[in-house]
Amino acid sequence: LTVGLGLDYKPNKFTSFNFSPLSYKGTFVLDTTGIKGEDAIDQTKYGVPKGKRSKNEPGASFMITHEYKPLKKLAITNRLQLFTNYIENPQNIDIDWEMILTANLNWFTDVRLNTHLVFDDDTKSLVDPDDKNSKKTARIQFKELLGFSFVFSF
């Protein structure tokens, strides 16, 4: 969860620049039932300290959103959000980039391709997942989704 107080500049109807020098980023591990058991959820891989349920970070956020329509029935939306923590390692910037390609197939269906890249230096994973003694390091996370939508207008 990221919220902030700042300015939003829209030079045109397709582009937005949002700068929030007073921002809050919260990371939550909602399933706390297994934190102490053998099937424990390792909340440290999400940057949450051991034994805690959340991590709260004050900082600054900068977001750029842009929509591009190369064709009448095709839209490409990019959103890049950068966040820096004022207290811990302010030189390390969290990156959250999402691109959504939407194509209208006909009057009631859309197809979407969504790619999402996240880099957060607080989120650590094993270099070699098969070796539990290997070093943990920050890595790029990447997700792709392909979806079909039914569109209803009324």
Side-chain angles (χ1 to χ4, degrees), residues 70-132:
L71 302 170
K72 184 178 179 183
K73 294 189 172 203
L74 182 69
I76 302 169
T77 304
N78 277 289
R79 182 188 57 82
L80 174 66
Q81 183 172 8
L82 307 172
F83 179 85
T84 184
N85 183 335
Y86 283 144
I87 298 176
E88 294 177 26
N89 300 321
Q91 73 278 9
N92 294 347
I93 297 173
D94 300 343
I95 301 166
D96 186 338
W97 173 47
E98 187 174 20
M99 186 201 66
I100 303 168
L101 180 108
T102 306
N104 298 90
L105 298 178
N106 52 38
W107 64 274
F108 68 95
T109 56
D110 285 348
V111 64
R112 285 184 173 210
L113 174 64
N114 181 314
T115 62
H116 197 171
L117 179 139
V118 176
F119 180 80
D120 184 348
D121 68 308
D122 296 326
T123 304
K124 309 269 191 222
S125 62
L126 295 172
V127 173
D128 182 6
D130 297 329
D131 180 11
K132 297 205 183 237

